Amino acid sequence: MADLKKRDFLWIILFLVVFINGFEAGGYQASLWNIGETYDLSLTSMGLFASVELFATMLAPLVLGSWADHNNKAKCIIILLAIQLVAALFVLTTVRNTYFIGGIFFLGLTTSALQFISIAALADAYPVTNKNKIGFMTSMYAAGALVAPLVVNFYLMMGLSWRILFALLSIGSAVALIGIVKSGSECREELPMDDIDSVSSGKFVITAILCLCVIMCIYVGFENGFTFFVDTMFTDTLKSENGKFALSLFWAVMIPSRMLVGHFSKHSKQILLVSLLAIPAFTVLFSSMQNSTAAMLVCIPLGMASGAIYPCVLTIMLNFSGKRTATSTGVITTATGIGGVVFTALTGYMSDLYGMRSAIAVLGSFFILSLLSLLGIHILMKKHSHS
């Protein structure tokens, strides 16, 4: 075990996998307007294009969660990275919109599976420090989503195609694939005997997991509805070219937010409550802004509150998942896909009907369901602690 710790870089590779997923998401969001120009899409069609990938994210966990729990998670990640690499190269080289959608579907399928299996692999390989590491791991997703719009804006300003995103993604997938092959998959930490007994007796509490699913469904629905269309709002409504920078700012503040959640993981439930109250308040404020600079500033607290949701949910999840970490993260990931599909398509549809401001404001109203779900989790945690 000591020798294994000395040469341990598994967590770095898992962090890289999540970073690549964030880069793909942020890059696709930042490229959507340009993709719409290429294929002559309406706002509703742009929402549907965005939803194709999100639809795939909800399909993958339905079968792959159990598959990962019953197999070596590192080998599962290797298979999925290989498929992701092929899908990225396919999108890079195809010109027909129907083929493009097919490639995006498989990208969504693999990035979804890689996300939840990597989190489960981290939780299994580092049983002592997994709750702290999860906060930092999810910040890698935010870091990728932060960097991507800046990179996209840079090469678009140079006159290059938006397809460069998928060339960069294929390179990242290849590097991660090599890294996971070299790293090995053995457990890196040993739990004390009392903790081992506690973990082995832990139960899979489906009711609590479903409550967490509701929270993530609403949050990811909001996140995708907002991030896929924030550039369009700046461009078409606020008459500003700062949309990609606002998107990067939104993701940028998620990094310290998620790191703080990792550091204060014992207070995840309280942090989650504050975030679920703050997001709708700042969403309504953002949608009412007339000045692009003021709108960008509102992205800071909105991103901070948004960034806390994912690591808080995953940290709470570990109390209810028992040994079925991949299944639990998979079920939650399915919920995120459902939220992404429904809310992204809904945002595009409402934008065409009522305008971008109204569409974004409506996204915040759904958080009442998240607050009710958190109340349910609070009750279940009390019962769990007394049983």
Side-chain angles (χ1 to χ4, degrees), residues 16 20 81 84-85 168-180:
L16 175 62
I20 293 168
L81 281 171
Q84 184 184 64
L85 174 60
L168 297 174
L169 179 61
S170 63
I171 294 170
S173 300
V175 171
L177 180 59
I178 295 169
I180 200 72

Side-chain angles (χ1 to χ4, degrees), residues 272-351:
L272 185 57
L273 174 61
V274 172
S275 299
L276 292 177
L277 291 169
I279 291 173
F282 285 115
T283 300
V284 172
L285 181 61
F286 175 84
S287 65
S288 66
M289 287 292 158
Q290 302 295 325
N291 180 274
S292 61
T293 303
M296 284 186 68
L297 291 176
V298 176
C299 289
I300 297 174
L302 186 57
M304 286 289 291
S306 298
I309 303 291
Y310 195 23
C312 283
V313 166
L314 291 175
T315 301
I316 294 170
M317 179 209 75
L318 292 176
N319 298 317
F320 298 106
S321 61
K323 292 183 177 181
R324 300 174 67 180
T325 51
T327 299
S328 298
T329 51
V331 171
I332 290 173
T333 304
T334 299
T336 67
I338 294 171
V341 169
V342 174
F343 284 84
T344 305
L346 183 64
T347 305
Y349 178 71
M350 289 192 301
S351 296

